[in-house]
Amino acid sequence: MANVTFSSPRMKKDVTVYAVAGDTKTLLAVAKANSVPLESECENGECGSCQVQVSVLSGNTPIGVALTEKEKLVLKLAGKITAQQIEDAETKDLPPPWRLACQMVVRDEDILVKF
Ligand code: FES
């Protein structure tokens, strides 16, 4: 079970929802299921409209991630990820601060999502 807290100027207040770990829902799916007004267009990692800033709240070491090629490309073109951050994600399991909500699978860790 993970707490996912969404924070945005578009919402009156932060919203924290519980996501069941292991059901492989994307962050965008969790947002939609909870009526969080996160933008999305393609839902396929191509448009970049669902860019979010993610930080781990638990104080634990963040769980490593596998970025899709689409996500790397879109975030790079948007200037939200550096070549070093991509390398760190791939070799050191360090997740980058910006993600695409439609490509990010919610894991068993408490996160803050800003958009
Ligand atoms: Fe288009 Fe996520 S909705 S990249």
Side-chain angles (χ1 to χ4, degrees):
M1 196 82 126
N3 287 338
V4 179
T5 300
F6 292 94
S7 180
S8 170
R10 285 183 239 158
M11 302 189 305
K12 286 183 185 162
K13 60 180 184 172
D14 292 357
V15 173
T16 299
V17 301
Y18 305 99
V20 179
D23 68 2
T24 64
K25 273 197 179 137
T26 65
L27 186 57
L28 180 60
V30 171
K32 283 186 166 199
N34 291 280
S35 302
V36 172
L38 187 54
E39 273 187 39
S40 65
E41 289 177 24
C42 71
E43 300 189 15
N44 193 29
E46 293 170 355
C47 71
S49 65
C50 66
Q51 293 172 24
V52 292
Q53 201 168 15
V54 179
S55 51
V56 175
L57 295 176
S58 60
N60 298 334
T61 304
I63 298 172
V65 296
L67 301 172
T68 63
E69 291 303 316
K70 288 184 208 173
E71 185 172 17
K72 284 187 257 185
L73 179 63
V74 169
L75 289 174
K76 200 169 176 182
L77 289 174
K80 299 294 187 188
I81 194 169
T82 64
Q84 184 63 54
Q85 287 170 324
I86 291 173
E87 188 180 326
D88 286 349
E90 292 173 344
T91 61
K92 298 178 186 168
D93 283 342
L94 290 175
W98 285 89
R99 300 294 310 275
L100 296 179
C102 70
Q103 299 293 293
M104 180 180 168
V105 174
V106 176
R107 313 283 284 277
D108 188 14
E109 60 188 349
D110 297 343
I111 55 174
L112 172 64
V113 179
K114 293 183 182 174
F115 62 98

